[in-house]
Amino acid sequence: MIVDCAIYRHGQRTEGPEDLSDALDEARAVGGFVWIGLYEPSEREFDLVTQEFGLHPLAVEDALKAHQRPKLEVYDDSLFMVLKPVVYEPESDAVSAGEVMVFVGDGFVVTVRHGEGSPLAAVRHRLEEEPEMLDKGPTAVLYAIADATVDHYLEVATELQNDLDELEAEVFQPEGGGSRHTASRIYTFKRQVQEFRRATGPLALPLTRLAGAGPLGTTVPFVDDKARPFFRDVSDHLMRVNESVEGLDRLVSDILSAHLAQMSVRQNDDMRKISAWAAMAAVPTMIAGIYGMNFDHMPELHWLWGYPAVILLMAALEMVLYRLFKRRGWL
């Protein structure tokens, strides 16, 4: 469905006509551009946009099916970029990614949104309050979307760092090792980091190309050369995000290894305690077993003090074993 359609001239918004072809012609006639926003359009709904703006069929297929990696494609009549906005849900400590596809061409911008967490509404509102920025044309829209997406990455990275600090405190608490559910929490967190990485990692190359730092420093069509420093700034922010993600991934792997090592040490301690108590239980069991064989001719069998002496012997042996195991740290 079409969420918004407007023509921008000198940074000022005018409502676009219902006929998309008229909107594009009108925008070009006044030296402005038309910006159309769509939300999870069907193939039939997108056909009209495709025909009127001459969008490449491969890019259209990607925009309809979604589930794409962040990328930048250059076609004859348009530029196609895929970004993956990320949402952090504090209630479940989960990371989810949506998708934003941006078509940029001569006098038009078409944005397609899939999933939640898209910055498009906020970006449009902010740009409409900054006419001097919006007057730069479709390049300003592409930059603003990329900048808003990457800035939110920084916020999500901070939230994930806080979650990791909590996990680290749980694993290295004085009792040691955390609860039995700690391993599953660490693994779930690692999955969230991987989901975050799939959104941020592949975006580095498209931003590098937009910043003019690609192969041989070639420029990208439909993007104003004066916008290179701005895209370079976004690329620098993304580099910080990717470094943060790499650090999170390494730390969570180290924490998982430390947790497993602590669990192994704890199991060894438990086994030593069990072995020590079993050894202590074996001594009286052995003595009682010998004197329970019911033979007539056994030493001290009819001795008046035989029973107290055997009980005293058992207690003495138990005390010796207890002190021995205690000294060695088994109990």
Side-chain angles (χ1 to χ4, degrees):
M1 58 177 292
I2 296 179
V3 178
D4 201 349
C5 177
I7 295 175
Y8 297 92
R9 179 173 181 267
H10 301 312
Q12 300 297 324
R13 174 187 176 118
T14 58
E15 296 301 326
E18 295 183 1
D19 192 328
L20 297 183
S21 60
D22 292 342
L24 182 58
D25 293 339
E26 181 178 339
R28 287 173 174 172
V30 297
F33 68 96
V34 59
W35 181 359
I36 298 176
L38 301 100
Y39 175 68
E40 296 184 358
S42 65
E43 184 174 353
R44 183 176 180 180
E45 292 172 334
F46 207 51
D47 279 344
L48 179 60
V49 178
T50 302
Q51 295 171 4
E52 296 299 336
F53 294 94
L55 306 181
H56 197 280
L58 292 177
V60 170
E61 181 181 0
D62 289 344
L64 289 173
K65 292 184 177 180
H67 303 294
Q68 304 296 317
R69 298 174 73 251
K71 62 180 181 178
L72 178 68
E73 300 287 351
V74 178
Y75 299 103
D76 294 336
D77 299 322
S78 63
L79 178 74
F80 177 64
M81 187 172 184
V82 179
L83 302 101
K84 295 180 75 70
V86 171
V87 176
Y88 176 82
E89 300 171 2
E91 295 81 9
S92 58
D93 294 335
V95 171
S96 60
E99 289 189 45
V100 171
M101 286 79 169
V102 185
F103 295 87
V104 176
D106 182 16
F108 71 86
V109 177
V110 177
T111 54
V112 181
R113 175 168 66 93
H114 290 269
E116 301 301 326
S118 167
L120 293 178
V123 167
R124 188 187 287 262
H125 179 72
R126 178 167 61 85
L127 285 177
E128 289 177 354
E129 293 181 345
E130 300 177 5
E132 67 282 358
M133 182 69 173
L134 197 55
D135 190 36
K136 305 298 182 181
T139 301
V141 176
L142 181 61
Y143 159 73
I145 294 173
D147 184 54
T149 301
V150 173
D151 282 348
H152 192 60
Y153 286 165
L154 292 169
E155 299 175 8
V156 173
T158 301
E159 295 291 345
L160 290 176
Q161 182 63 56
N162 293 336
D163 290 345
L164 183 62
D165 292 341
E166 293 178 3
L167 277 175
E168 188 175 16
E170 180 178 342
V171 170
F172 294 104
Q173 60 186 336
E175 298 82 57
S179 67
R180 61 180 180 177
H181 302 296
T182 301
S184 62
R185 287 190 58 200
I186 295 175
Y187 182 74
T188 300
F189 182 83
K190 192 173 181 65
R191 289 285 301 272
Q192 304 305 322
V193 173
Q194 292 300 321
E195 180 72 17
F196 193 27
R197 184 202 293 268
R198 282 193 288 268
T200 63
L203 186 58
L205 181 58
L207 287 178
T208 299
R209 292 179 60 190
L210 289 171
L216 303 178
T218 55
T219 59
V220 178
F222 309 106
V223 175
D224 193 337
D225 289 343
K226 295 180 180 179
R228 284 188 177 190
F230 296 94
F231 284 110
R232 192 176 303 122
D233 180 67
V234 178
S235 181
D236 290 340
H237 290 175
L238 181 65
M239 186 180 300
R240 288 173 49 197
V241 172
N242 285 329
E243 290 174 353
S244 178
V245 172
E246 290 291 337
L248 289 172
D249 189 57
R250 287 194 300 269
L251 282 174
V252 73
S253 297
D254 292 342
I255 289 174
L256 179 59
S257 298
H259 173 67
L260 295 178
Q262 288 182 335
M263 294 298 292
S264 178
V265 170
R266 181 184 297 178
Q267 290 175 352
N268 289 337
D269 289 341
D270 292 341
M271 289 301 299
R272 286 192 301 178
K273 291 179 181 180
I274 293 172
S275 300
W277 286 112
M280 292 173 62
V283 171
T285 302
M286 179 190 67
I287 296 175
I290 292 175
Y291 278 90
M293 290 189 293
N294 297 322
F295 291 112
D296 288 334
H297 304 286
M298 292 181 65
E300 292 84 27
L301 184 62
H302 300 287
W303 184 36
L304 180 63
W305 300 100
Y307 178 74
V310 170
I311 295 298
L312 184 60
L313 176 63
M314 290 182 182
L317 291 175
E318 289 295 298
M319 183 60 67
V320 170
L321 290 175
Y322 179 81
R323 295 187 63 180
L324 178 63
F325 290 141
K326 191 73 173 179
R327 185 179 304 171
R328 294 187 177 181
W330 285 33
L331 290 176

